[in-house]
Amino acid sequence: MEMVEDRLSTVFAALADPTRRAILAQLKDGAASVTALGRPFAMSQPAISRHLKVLERAGLISRARHATVRLSRIEGEALGEVRSWLEGYRQWWDDSFEQLDELLSDLQQDQREAAT
Amino acid sequence: MSTTQVTAEPGSHEITVTRELQAPPELVYRTFSEPDLLAQWLGPRALTMKVDSFDLRHGGTWRFVHVAPDGDEHWFHGCFHGESSVEAGITQTWEYEGVPGDVSLQRATFAATPTGTVVRLTSVHLSVESRDAHIAAGMVGGVTEGFERMDELIERLARG
């Protein structure tokens, strides 16, 4: 459990930067080179490479050489951990709101019956 | 079918929960502001909620317990701030009694839509660590079933 949390901290630190989140959003459409990834940003290639290194260390992407270019690819597992971390919390509220749906429906039924 | 949206940006102190309900704001407000109604819905089904105090005035306090099937009790308390109304919403502090001093501040608002009400709960925690721990506490006994697809999660993170 502690190891999972440590890993989650690394993932969150990596996701805390808007440029890195934008890079991930780009990689959602498929693997890309550092040149392609850097295009939307007013940033030097070494700066983009540094962001890619942080994402790679967090396990959010993998990088492999294809012919002469190094392609970055998104890795789903680390993001899946983020999702399940939020999911339990969301489920807590979703369960609550489902009970609230039923209560509101009962209350409205009572109001309708009282009006007739 | 309404879905519960939770937003917790990395590195932020904030959590936002939104949900649309098929009832007018005045009625939804009652389920948040009347303790006997609140006790019927807040929290997972497996927990029984009992409200110990609920004084919905500026500076008034509230306290409730969630009792688990094994008898374990989880107490929460806090204080209301400002005048509460369907228009102004409800502003209150929260503290889980198991972690004294780890206080969060929450505002609930009730916005009318053509078909009902959107409830928005915004809570601010003392630190990113405290916020993350609060979310992680929700994992206990949490069910991990399909919520959003991965690409939706990424889209949301990218927007943040």
Side-chain angles (χ1 to χ4, degrees):
Chain A
M1 192 62 206
E2 217 167 87
M3 274 182 63
V4 171
E5 275 172 19
D6 280 355
R7 194 178 139 109
L8 213 45
S9 306
T10 314
V11 172
F12 267 87
L15 290 172
D17 181 274
T19 304
R20 290 196 286 270
R21 294 202 293 270
I23 289 172
L24 277 181
Q26 266 184 278
L27 287 174
K28 187 166 64 72
D29 302 325
S33 68
V34 65
T35 319
L37 288 171
R39 221 165 274 146
F41 308 102
M43 226 179 256
S44 68
Q45 206 154 305
I48 295 293
S49 290
R50 273 196 297 277
H51 283 306
L52 292 176
K53 258 181 217 135
V54 175
L55 289 170
E56 189 178 30
R57 266 202 303 274
L60 287 162
I61 65 166
S62 62
R63 292 191 293 171
R65 197 167 279 286
H66 291 266
T68 56
V69 285
R70 201 167 181 205
L71 292 182
S72 297
R73 188 182 306 280
I74 205 156
E75 292 292 327
E77 199 186 314
L79 269 177
E81 280 173 16
V82 174
R83 187 172 62 155
S84 63
W85 173 77
L86 258 185
E87 180 52 28
Y89 183 81
R90 196 197 69 88
Q91 194 69 49
W92 197 97
W93 280 106
D94 206 38
D95 284 357
S96 299
F97 285 127
E98 272 179 21
Q99 296 195 87
L100 183 52
D101 284 334
E102 290 164 23
L103 174 62
L104 287 167
S105 159
D106 289 350
L107 290 171
Q108 289 179 102
Q109 183 68 33
D110 291 349
Q111 282 178 348
R112 274 193 296 273
E113 278 166 17
T116 52
Chain B
M1 184 60 210
S2 297
T3 57
T4 307
Q5 296 283 343
V6 176
T7 308
E9 297 296 343
S12 154
H13 290 209
E14 201 173 286
I15 308 173
T16 311
V17 177
T18 56
R19 172 66 142 74
E20 184 163 16
L21 297 150
Q22 308 304 311
E26 293 71 24
L27 188 59
V28 175
Y29 177 74
R30 282 186 55 202
T31 64
F32 278 74
S33 59
E34 295 179 21
D36 56 327
L37 295 180
L38 183 69
Q40 292 180 49
W41 68 268
L42 185 67
R45 265 172 223 279
L47 303 179
T48 308
M49 179 173 166
K50 287 180 196 138
V51 181
D52 180 57
S53 66
F54 197 89
D55 181 10
L56 188 67
R57 290 180 298 175
H58 179 53
T61 59
W62 61 270
R63 187 168 186 251
F64 75 74
V65 63
H66 269 144
V67 185
D70 61 7
D72 271 2
E73 295 190 351
H74 300 279
W75 284 91
F76 299 83
H77 73 259
C79 180
F80 293 107
H81 293 259
E83 295 305 319
S84 301
S85 68
V86 64
E87 296 83 15
I90 300 172
T91 305
Q92 68 196 103
T93 52
W94 278 79
E95 182 185 69
Y96 173 54
E97 294 185 10
V99 191
D102 193 16
V103 182
S104 63
L105 175 64
Q106 177 193 280
R107 173 166 287 165
T109 58
F110 310 93
T113 68
T115 52
T117 304
V118 169
V119 172
R120 175 183 290 268
L121 304 167
T122 307
S123 53
V124 183
H125 294 254
L126 286 169
S127 63
V128 176
E129 291 71 26
S130 157
R131 185 209 60 173
D132 289 354
H134 188 84
I135 293 175
M139 265 176 90
V140 179
V143 187
T144 51
E145 64 185 44
F147 160 31
E148 296 139 313
R149 286 168 304 132
M150 196 71 80
D151 53 345
E152 284 175 9
L153 176 71
I154 298 167
E155 294 273 6
R156 225 180 39 200
L157 288 168
R159 277 203 304 273

